[in-house]
Amino acid sequence: MNKDHRRRLDLHCDEVVQRINFDALWPKLLENGIYNRDDVNIPIWTKSPVTITTVRDVFLTIKTRGPRAFENLLKSFRESGHEDLADLLAEQKEPSVKAKVFNYKKDVENNISNMTKPFMDLKDEYFERMQSCDEPLEIKVRPALTFLDCPSLIETVERYPMRSNPRGFVLIIANIQYINERSRAGAEHDEKNLEELFKQMGFEVTTLCNLTGKQIKDAIREFSCQKDFHKVHSCFVVITSHGDQVADDSLETEIQGVDFNSPRYQPVLCTEILDFFTVERCRALAGKPKVFIFQACRGQRIQKAIPRNVTDTCVKTDSIGKIDLNVQTTRNYSDILVAHSTMPGFAANRDIKTGSWFIQILCDVFMNYACTTHLQDLFNMIDSRIECIRTEDNSCQTLTVTSMGFSKHCYLNPGLFEEDR
């Protein structure tokens, strides 16, 4: 970096550091090659939450990052909503006091606008009026304004890359009309909303309706074997169906095909579905997020709303024996997130006019907040909304989310692709 550029950094340091939105800027510093994940300074900067001292150190260290560092810094500022800071550093002489005041005011207004733009006119009240409304949810996804899958200096949890076009493949299986006439009134809205939700977010969606038990297995097997998984960054499997608990003393959940109770019926277990997507059987998805969403009853019990209490459970594990530590391996079950609409043994609620509680709220939360929020927190938001809903007889519902090696944050970056930047 030449002397003039270093002088400008020193000259404007105090003003610039105070005005930086660091969480927005840091991914761009990495993306534009000023810093990289292996930088020796990062362990020092991440020892404590980001402070003004840390931001100042990051800013001034740019002077040591090569002849193009200044140019790339200006680029990073402009791409992260700091256009006025880029203009300030690009000026040949120190700006006047009047210009400083004007720029500062404009910068604050721009930062507020950038941060709140995804939520302008957002009326997040659908779950409150869901039970009194006869009209199904209308899907309108709020697109992401910037990629959030970049590594963050202020987080210790890594992030899954989520930029492919399409973002991933989605399989939706919706069983609505059963052979024995156990139809799932209202579930047609679940199927339509889910399909529209994932399409607007940038996924390639396959939708199948009214499958028998055997057809469900065949469809899952075929979907897990498709050749193009290596081209995408994620996979979703969503099933809305009748369901039940396999046995009173088992946590296994059965997805019931439309031929349930027929002589040749083949039961489908949720664990069987997951088995098709292990690393051993689906190597193209190794290291990529695989999300399973099941809207189905898991028993006949009805959960009543009562005062909270806490219980402890004990989980038993089996020994896997000795392995050769010299051989590089990976976990067979990993990067899997499973969301059930209810707890083992309990029923799931569905409105015959608008659809199931879980899918309605999932679509509402995803379309409004996936642009800024990672997947685990989206499910937390869904459960906090389900918690507020009661039937006339005071029954309620609890979302169950299980992580199997899903150890990174997953930002879906809805509707945003590399060519749009």
Side-chain angles (χ1 to χ4, degrees):
M1 184 179 296
N2 64 43
K3 292 182 179 180
D4 179 57
H5 290 164
R6 288 198 297 270
R7 181 190 64 82
R8 296 188 206 179
L9 294 182
D10 290 332
L11 180 64
H12 298 292
C13 177
D14 290 338
E15 180 180 359
V16 170
V17 167
Q18 293 287 341
R19 296 162 58 185
I20 287 176
N21 178 348
F22 192 74
D23 200 27
L25 177 63
W26 176 252
K28 295 301 178 182
L29 297 180
L30 292 173
E31 186 177 319
N32 292 320
I34 297 176
Y35 294 110
N36 58 65
R37 296 184 183 184
D38 299 326
D39 196 290
V40 295
N41 293 291
I42 290 181
I44 301 174
W45 293 335
T46 56
K47 283 184 178 180
S48 60
V50 174
T51 63
I52 290 295
T53 301
T54 301
V55 177
R56 182 190 300 274
D57 191 25
V58 172
F59 178 74
L60 293 178
T61 303
I62 293 174
K63 294 188 293 183
T64 68
R65 287 302 180 267
R68 299 195 61 184
F70 186 81
E71 174 187 342
N72 289 333
L73 173 62
L74 299 185
K75 180 180 178 182
S76 299
F77 272 143
R78 298 189 190 284
E79 291 178 351
S80 60
H82 298 83
E83 291 86 355
D84 286 346
L85 295 186
D87 293 340
L88 178 63
L89 291 175
E91 293 182 9
Q92 294 296 328
K93 60 182 181 179
E94 184 177 2
S96 65
V97 174
K98 182 178 180 179
K100 285 185 178 181
V101 174
F102 175 77
N103 286 341
Y104 180 75
K105 180 179 178 181
K106 183 178 179 182
D107 186 64
V108 171
E109 292 173 348
N110 286 340
N111 281 340
I112 293 175
S113 175
N114 288 335
M115 288 186 290
T116 60
K117 187 175 180 180
F119 302 101
M120 290 177 64
D121 302 323
L122 175 60
K123 297 181 179 179
D124 185 22
E125 57 184 22
Y126 181 78
F127 73 100
E128 295 178 353
R129 56 185 174 85
M130 192 173 71
Q131 289 182 280
S132 61
C133 180
D134 292 338
E135 296 296 326
L137 177 68
E138 180 182 357
I139 302 299
K140 188 176 181 180
V141 173
R142 296 177 180 274
L145 300 181
T146 186
F147 287 111
L148 297 175
D149 56 349
C150 302
S152 173
L153 179 62
I154 63 175
E155 288 185 3
T156 57
V157 179
E158 293 185 32
R159 301 179 180 183
Y160 289 107
M162 290 291 284
R163 301 196 180 195
S164 62
N165 189 3
R167 184 74 74 242
F169 294 139
V170 179
L171 174 63
I172 299 173
I173 297 177
N175 284 345
I176 303 169
Q177 187 64 50
Y178 278 68
I179 295 175
N180 60 3
E181 299 184 358
R182 294 176 62 224
S183 63
R184 301 176 60 245
E188 66 275 12
H189 299 302
D190 293 344
E191 178 261 316
K192 293 177 181 178
N193 284 346
L194 286 166
E195 182 175 14
E196 185 64 22
L197 173 75
F198 282 102
K199 284 183 177 179
Q200 288 189 27
M201 288 198 298
F203 290 82
E204 183 175 309
V205 182
T206 300
T207 303
L208 303 173
C209 294
N210 302 327
L211 302 186
T212 65
K214 182 179 183 303
Q215 288 173 336
I216 292 175
K217 288 184 178 180
D218 291 342
I220 296 291
R221 181 184 298 106
E222 182 179 354
F223 179 73
S224 69
C225 294
Q226 60 180 301
K227 298 179 180 179
D228 290 337
F229 271 137
H230 68 281
K231 298 179 181 180
V232 299
H233 282 160
S234 64
C235 160
F236 280 74
V237 175
V238 188
I239 300 180
T240 72
S241 174
H242 279 310
D244 205 349
Q245 191 174 16
V246 175
D248 291 339
D249 58 348
S250 170
L251 297 180
E252 286 276 12
T253 300
E254 176 186 348
I255 299 296
Q256 296 174 343
V258 296
D259 60 337
F260 178 67
N261 278 336
S262 65
R264 296 185 179 181
Y265 172 70
Q266 294 185 18
V268 182
L269 303 183
C270 289
T271 51
E272 291 181 294
I273 295 173
L274 303 185
D275 286 343
F276 284 107
F277 296 88
T278 61
V279 173
E280 182 180 18
R281 299 181 68 173
C282 191
R283 294 187 179 276
L285 286 175
K288 300 177 182 180
K290 299 167 281 290
V291 183
F292 300 85
I293 299 172
F294 298 114
Q295 164 57 44
C297 290
R298 307 179 72 186
Q300 305 303 317
R301 297 171 62 189
I302 303 299
Q303 182 182 178
K304 295 293 184 179
I306 59 175
R308 296 180 181 178
N309 56 56
V310 179
T311 60
D312 294 327
T313 59
C314 180
V315 180
K316 297 181 179 179
T317 59
D318 296 326
S319 172
I320 61 173
K322 296 181 179 180
I323 61 174
D324 185 355
L325 297 179
N326 294 319
V327 178
Q328 186 176 6
T329 62
T330 186
R331 295 178 295 182
N332 203 23
Y333 291 86
S334 63
D335 308 293
I336 292 175
L337 197 66
V338 183
H340 284 277
S341 57
T342 188
M343 299 186 303
F346 287 85
N349 293 288
R350 172 172 34 87
D351 188 295
I352 62 174
K353 294 183 179 180
T354 58
S356 62
W357 290 5
F358 174 44
I359 298 301
Q360 287 185 77
I361 295 178
L362 181 146
C363 290
D364 182 50
V365 169
F366 271 44
M367 75 180 191
N368 284 313
Y369 294 102
C371 56
T372 58
T373 308
H374 64 76
L375 196 57
Q376 294 96 322
D377 276 355
L378 291 176
F379 282 115
N380 290 336
M381 296 169 69
I382 292 168
D383 186 60
S384 70
R385 285 153 176 74
I386 290 179
E387 181 185 12
C388 300
I389 305 177
R390 302 286 185 271
T391 62
E392 292 181 356
D393 62 352
N394 205 33
S395 66
C396 55
Q397 189 170 320
T398 300
L399 175 65
T400 303
V401 180
T402 304
S403 172
M404 300 180 182
F406 203 90
S407 56
K408 303 177 183 178
H409 285 163
C410 181
Y411 290 90
L412 299 177
N413 302 320
L416 183 64
F417 301 98
E418 291 285 359
E419 58 268 26
D420 299 330
R421 295 181 59 235

